[in-house]
Amino acid sequence: MDYIDLVKNVYRIYKECQIKSFPVDCWAVLDHYNFKVFTYSQLEERSKELYLLSTAFSGDSFCEQKKRIIAYNEKANQYRIRFSLMHELGHFVLGHAGESAKSEIDADEFASHVLAPRPVIRYMNIKDVDDLHEKFGLSYSAANNAWSNYIYRWKWMPPYDEDDMLLNLIFPDYRPRNTSLNNFNRYCLYEDSFDRNSVEFARAEYRYLYGNDL
Ligand SMILES: [Zn+2]
């Protein structure tokens, strides 16, 4: 999924649910969108049919969008449950109908960014995977993925306006460091006349990211 679309969706959730602190209260978020959340055992008691359907789909969690029901496997650890719940919310927010490999990846990306928005990782000066796991309530495996995505890609990108908007929403005291410079850098890096596959572009990008020590 395009990063801008992703961060816009994350912004929407933070604004509508007025999220101001971490780890995100996943239950409050689902409550805001009127989801009824059940464990798999509770669902089995309520509706055998829905239970069989849900466990056939996934060992972790399931969402019935029309009835706004989410069920999750209570035997998983609490961090994995948090991720699964936001994954299911992702299917709802992104308007997915039915299952596909792409919609699963998008829902996972959504969950990762809702739980640990990349601009917030930078703003909170998160030091490593342990720190990320602790502050954002991600499982170690999800924290590892989010950390690699942050450290190898996101950290070096100039912030988008949408990143700044999100930070401003969560931390009203936040001021972008230098917006005009950020816009200028982004323009240079992504201006369409560049052939992104060329050696020159790769060198220019490398120089931009790492300085002149080629
Ligand atoms: Zn899914």
Side-chain angles (χ1 to χ4, degrees), residues 27 30 35-52 54-55 60 62 68-75 81 85:
W27 308 95
L30 293 176
F35 274 101
K36 292 181 209 73
V37 185
F38 300 107
T39 64
Y40 274 175
S41 319
Q42 287 169 333
L43 190 67
E44 189 177 15
E45 271 173 39
R46 282 179 74 98
S47 161
K48 193 85 183 166
E49 195 187 350
L50 211 49
Y51 169 74
L52 290 172
S54 63
T55 47
D60 280 310
F62 170 79
R68 297 216 183 178
I69 289 175
I70 287 179
Y72 68 92
N73 186 349
E74 69 274 28
K75 289 180 184 130
I81 289 172
L85 295 178

Side-chain angles (χ1 to χ4, degrees), residues 188-201:
C188 288
L189 199 55
Y190 295 107
E191 207 275 323
D192 279 338
S193 65
F194 278 113
D195 173 4
R196 291 178 197 195
N197 296 320
S198 72
V199 175
E200 287 72 25
F201 180 80

Side-chain angles (χ1 to χ4, degrees), residues 58 61-62 84 87-88 91 96 98-100 103-105 107-108:
S58 159
S61 53
F62 170 79
S84 297
H87 171 105
E88 297 307 337
H91 284 309
H96 293 158
E99 301 259 325
S100 75
S103 69
E104 289 313 303
I105 293 169
D108 275 347

